[in-house]
DNA sequence: TCAAACCGTGCACAATTAGTGCATGATCGA
DNA sequence: TCGATCATGCACTAATTGTGCACGGTTTGA
């Protein structure tokens, strides 16, 4: 909002590519290229340098970016306090989150906002955590619900984002109904060390979590198959191809050939779900309200789990 | 440069009038009006309110301005350090100052820059101190040489400007050649308490200085006539209409019907001449270089005076 | 009390700026 | 060596921004 070129530059510094920046900001690649060139010209500085078939930030560029990070933060603070003082809400409010978060946390939030603030145009975007962060930078969304990763998303994250812990989401094991341990109430990961596993492909957050759970046990699991969607993984498991881990927030669906079991034993892997905003934007009334709603929803989920725990 | 609307808003907060802001920034009044309205709309805040036939900033507006002051400062710092690191100079460089400063300090500076940095387009603007400050805000000029006034130019000056003392310029008395004290080497103001005085009209910096010099003596001078230019004042004095004060930097010209005398006695009025820049812009190579040149020029003037002192 | 001078704003129109789509050259992987 | 990917330049178009003038409201001076 302060200057669209700042947004573009920040996204570029995060993605390192004109094409990805264009895709995230909604501009065409030529527009991104032109904006960066314009910035260079008006400052008289070389910001980007060719590298292979792509392009990278010069050190002067990185320095500029970190300065701009701080300026943008200050601007967000100012805009938020202004909005807060005037009670005026922004017209557009973008929310982002990965699949399960979008379903369980964002959908209720959007519904609530639609009801209480009908004049605000709420937009939901489902996207992977890293992409959510980039969308935040690009100002396409204003709030994201993602899985906290130990690696701070691509450098200088703490200069750009603020996060609030919503809840810890434990992982369960999913077994074929015919599995030898399927009748147990809970299963230790150690007992499944030799089973074939099904995990997610690529270097997703889930995959990192998956690996971490086993390395803490000193075990290297045998990943027999890879899937992208939970649905697919569950189908694989149902077919007896292996066992898998499923976050509690993700629903099993109507699959009756698999069972979900709590994890007992030394390693109790879980993922931490957090709400992320651009640094400085917290004071904004809509953000404040949304965070409260998200936390209430999270608490409801947690207490519901305790109740189930007692029932079961 | 960061956002033209910020510039406009800052000038408006200094002048308190759309028309004056337009004149200073070079926009038309409607453009200024539209820019302020646009800012209001995009933030959803009422920045200005009607007051009489003019408008004024709301308290929210003032709050926003002070936040923007800090952001602009940070941006100037960033841009300056970027320019400094790259060695790249800005294409345009504006200098402002009041009459005598322009002649004695700015002209040599401009000449020197023209010689050593021919690629920079140097522009000189002669203007009263307050106007110089507004021109700085409007980014029409980048450096101003003005008389430091005790009243910090219109609120929040220290959030917007930085100054460097160049020299203290003492005031001399100017007497008709036929005056009873014309033969003295130096004259005390007390001895002229009953003479008719010639001063500047309006509430100029000079006039404030003039009044201050006498109030420190507990004397209220009789101001018989008013003039805008030194030339005029000297002509009045030459005609025997009264006596006057003239800064040492101002030349007497070829008037042979008046004499200039040092001031002795309790009150030795002088004006402090300072170089002013926008806060944060100091690191810029051109500004740094200019300040050095100005200080060298000031030192030369001072040492030249000492020499004359010994001669006389 | 009325007219003239100002001030800020709205509106039609013009000028400048910014963005798109396609073509091009350059680089990397198979 | 061919195809894929990437950034960028260019002609064209869309959108933003600024201008000039007219108008309503307010103050000042006759």
């Amino acid at each position: 909002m302060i200057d669209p070129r700042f947004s573009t530059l920040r996204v570029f510094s995060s993605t390192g590519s004109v094409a990805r920046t264009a895709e995230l900001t909604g501009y065409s690649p030529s527009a991104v290229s032109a904006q960066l060139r314009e910035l260079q010209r008006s400052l008289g500085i070389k910001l980007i340098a060719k590298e292979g078939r792509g392009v990278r930030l010069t050190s002067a560029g990185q320095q500029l970016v970190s300065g701009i990070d701080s300026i943008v933060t200050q601007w967000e603070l100012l805009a938020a306090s202004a909005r807060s003082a005037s009670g005026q809400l922004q017209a557009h409010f973008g929310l982002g989150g990965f699949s399960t978060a979008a379903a369980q946390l964002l959908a209720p939030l959007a519904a609530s906002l639609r009801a209480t603030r009908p004049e605000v145009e709420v937009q939901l975007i489902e996207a992977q955590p890293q992409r959510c962060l980039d969308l935040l930078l690009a100002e396409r969304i204003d709030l994201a619900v993602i899985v906290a990763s130990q690696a701070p998303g691509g450098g200088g994250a703490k200069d750009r984002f603020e996060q609030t812990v919503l809840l810890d989401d434990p992982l369960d094991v999913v077994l074929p109904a015919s599995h030898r341990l399927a009748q147990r109430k809970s299963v230790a990961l150690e007992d499944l060390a030799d089973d074939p596993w099904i995990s997610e492909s690529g270097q997703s957050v889930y995959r990192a979590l998956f690996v971490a759970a086993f390395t803490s046990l000193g075990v290297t699991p045998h990943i027999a198959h890879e899937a992208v969607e939970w649905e697919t993984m569950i189908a694989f498991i149902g077919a007896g191809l292996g066992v898998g881990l499923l976050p509690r927030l993700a629903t099993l669906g109507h699959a009756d050939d698999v069972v979900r079991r709590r994890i007992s034993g030394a390693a109790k892997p879980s993922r931490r779900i957090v709400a992320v905003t651009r640094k400085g934007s917290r004071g904004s009334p809509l953000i404040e309200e949304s965070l409260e709603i998200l936390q209430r929803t999270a608490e409801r989920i947690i207490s519901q789990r305790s109740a189930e725990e007692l029932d079961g």
Side-chain angles (χ1 to χ4, degrees), chain A:
Chain A
M1 166 180 294
I2 180 173
D3 187 335
R5 294 194 249 86
F6 287 1
S7 235
T8 305
L9 180 62
R10 282 176 10 124
V11 176
F12 177 80
S13 86
S14 170
T15 63
S17 134
V18 171
R20 275 190 293 275
T21 304
E23 193 274 327
L24 284 159
T25 53
Y27 288 116
S28 67
S30 356
V32 171
S33 182
Q35 284 190 6
L36 295 178
R37 173 200 298 276
E38 233 300 295
L39 252 178
Q40 289 190 106
R41 197 200 53 75
S42 75
L43 289 171
I45 296 177
K46 267 220 313 213
L47 294 178
I48 52 186
K50 289 183 185 174
E51 188 174 70
R53 66 178 159 185
V55 88
R56 66 168 173 76
L57 271 181
T58 62
S59 64
Q62 288 170 348
Q63 208 173 319
L64 181 73
V65 166
S66 87
I68 285 181
D69 279 344
S70 137
I71 288 177
V72 170
T73 298
Q74 227 175 315
W75 173 250
E76 293 274 358
L77 271 168
L78 192 55
S81 85
R83 267 196 287 270
S84 174
S86 76
Q88 187 91 16
L89 307 174
Q90 57 244 61
H92 179 270
F93 191 55
L95 300 169
F98 59 99
S99 52
T100 50
Q104 308 280 345
L105 290 161
L106 252 33
L109 169 59
S112 166
L113 289 178
R114 259 187 206 294
T116 60
R117 311 276 182 209
E119 73 277 21
V120 178
E121 178 198 331
V122 179
Q123 186 188 18
L124 278 174
I125 296 182
E126 182 187 331
Q128 293 296 318
Q130 178 58 50
R131 187 176 160 83
C132 281
L133 294 180
D134 289 334
L135 287 170
L136 271 174
L137 278 188
E139 303 187 17
R140 291 272 295 274
I141 62 176
D142 305 293
L143 180 76
V145 175
I146 66 174
V147 174
S149 64
Q150 33 280 60
K158 68 177 73 62
D159 292 333
R160 295 174 161 179
F161 305 112
E162 285 172 304
Q163 46 177 244
T164 308
V165 174
L166 292 179
L167 69 133
D168 284 317
D169 190 36
L171 298 179
D172 296 327
V173 290
V174 181
L175 308 172
S178 57
H179 194 273
R180 65 181 193 281
L181 301 176
Q183 301 313 317
R184 298 233 193 127
K185 277 200 90 155
S186 67
V187 178
L189 280 189
E190 297 90 318
D191 297 335
L192 294 168
D194 295 329
D195 279 67
W197 284 89
I198 300 163
S199 178
E200 211 168 71
S201 51
Q203 60 276 54
S204 65
V205 182
Y206 173 82
R207 177 68 167 258
L209 218 66
F210 186 94
V211 173
F214 285 97
T215 49
S216 73
L217 289 175
V219 173
T220 308
H222 169 53
I223 297 178
H225 307 284
E226 296 186 339
V228 177
E229 312 243 346
W230 304 133
E231 292 287 338
T232 318
M233 180 180 82
I234 293 167
F236 285 2
I237 297 172
L241 298 175
V243 298
L245 294 178
L246 187 72
R248 184 117 0 126
L249 267 185
T251 56
L252 248 192
H254 308 300
D256 52 1
D257 47 2
V258 302
V259 296
R260 164 189 287 215
R261 293 293 176 256
R262 299 287 152 94
I263 294 178
S264 58
K268 293 205 173 185
S270 79
R271 54 182 199 175
R272 172 156 291 185
I273 294 179
V274 298
V276 186
T277 54
R278 273 188 303 280
K279 200 168 176 186
S281 69
R282 278 296 174 73
S284 188
L286 257 184
I287 303 245
E288 239 172 16
E289 186 179 344
S290 298
L291 286 176
E292 280 169 21
I293 295 176
L294 283 174
Q295 276 178 322
R296 273 207 302 277
T297 310
E299 279 165 20
R300 228 196 40 221
I301 291 175
I302 291 172
S303 64
Q304 194 175 317
R305 277 181 189 165
S306 313
E308 283 172 5
E309 204 82 24
L310 290 175
D311 289 355

